[in-house]
Amino acid sequence: MNSYTLTPKLSIELAIDNIFKKIFTDTYFVPRDYSLFKTALTHKSISSTNNYEILECLGDGYLKGFIISAILQVYPNANEGFINDARCTLEGTNTFSYLLNHEFYELIELIKVNENIKNNKELFKSVKEDVFEAIVGALVMYVNNKRHNLLYKISSWIGLLRAFIGEKKAGIVIANAATFVGLGDLTD
């Protein structure tokens, strides 16, 4: 007999509830319908008609705004060129895959994708970026559809991005070609 207990696989419902708890910290709000989130976790290799592509497009648009807002909170006097460069850098440097791996890691095993893609590190990293955007799209769409007027609460994601930008600015987090980010010099 083994001396350990296996942890049961996390359900999509529980994983999404956990995300809602992280985002809506001061309001009890969890979804009653998980269909959008199930779609947000489904790659087109599994379903050609019920996959995350539309939600990814929606999430991508909202994330652009969230990122710009986060940049402006850290750099309030930034000009348009700096804001655009910083936004493009954050969008193009695996930030969403990093956030999915570290903040919403419970979703990774729930992604429905062809095993060949899942076993290809670079392809799966791209899928994780897409899924992060699709989850944002599903969240925005769900909140809008339910008319809970909680859309502004999604701005807590801005706080997460702002903290990440601040850590980079302070040198706590530095670029690392192998792992995207590394720990900076903390001796000062």
Side-chain angles (χ1 to χ4, degrees):
M1 182 173 179
N2 292 335
S3 61
Y4 60 88
T5 305
L6 293 175
T7 305
K9 185 176 178 181
L10 191 63
S11 71
I12 290 175
E13 291 81 3
L14 185 56
I16 297 302
D17 287 353
N18 288 341
I19 289 173
F20 269 69
K21 288 175 188 170
K22 286 179 183 179
I23 295 170
F24 303 112
T25 56
D26 61 348
T27 305
Y28 180 75
F29 178 61
V30 293
R32 293 190 179 134
D33 177 8
Y34 296 88
S35 60
L36 281 171
F37 301 99
K38 289 177 181 178
T39 300
L41 291 166
T42 304
H43 187 265
K44 66 183 175 183
S45 65
I46 300 299
S47 174
S48 62
T49 57
N50 192 24
N51 60 59
Y52 63 62
E53 288 185 332
I54 299 298
L55 292 170
E56 175 198 357
C57 183
L58 177 66
D60 180 59
Y62 275 95
L63 279 167
K64 285 182 186 335
F66 294 157
I67 291 169
I68 290 169
S69 182
I71 292 167
L72 286 171
Q73 288 180 12
V74 175
Y75 301 100
N77 298 321
N79 64 40
E80 180 186 2
F82 176 84
I83 293 167
N84 192 51
D85 289 347
R87 181 188 56 78
C88 289
T89 298
L90 285 169
E91 288 177 347
T93 54
N94 305 315
T95 302
F96 303 145
S97 179
Y98 176 86
L99 290 172
L100 190 65
N101 284 333
H102 298 294
E103 294 296 325
F104 307 108
Y105 51 86
E106 62 267 23
L107 293 176
I108 294 171
E109 75 175 66
L110 299 172
I111 297 171
K112 296 177 187 170
V113 64
N114 177 290
E115 284 300 315
N116 292 332
I117 295 170
K118 199 169 205 170
N119 293 330
N120 182 313
K121 188 177 179 179
E122 286 304 309
L123 284 176
F124 193 56
K125 183 168 54 172
S126 176
V127 168
K128 289 188 287 186
E129 297 265 328
D130 295 345
V131 164
F132 185 86
E133 292 172 339
I135 290 291
V136 171
L139 184 61
V140 168
M141 193 173 232
Y142 183 83
V143 171
N144 280 343
N145 287 345
K146 298 302 173 190
R147 303 186 195 288
H148 286 289
N149 296 322
L150 294 173
L151 186 56
Y152 72 94
K153 292 227 173 224
I154 296 173
S155 66
S156 66
W157 287 35
I158 295 170
L160 185 63
L161 289 167
R162 185 179 65 208
F164 191 73
I165 294 167
E167 288 171 354
K168 286 182 86 172
K169 181 179 177 183
I172 296 169
V173 173
I174 60 171
N176 180 313
T179 62
F180 169 61
V181 294
L183 194 56
D185 182 8
L186 303 177
T187 58
D188 287 338

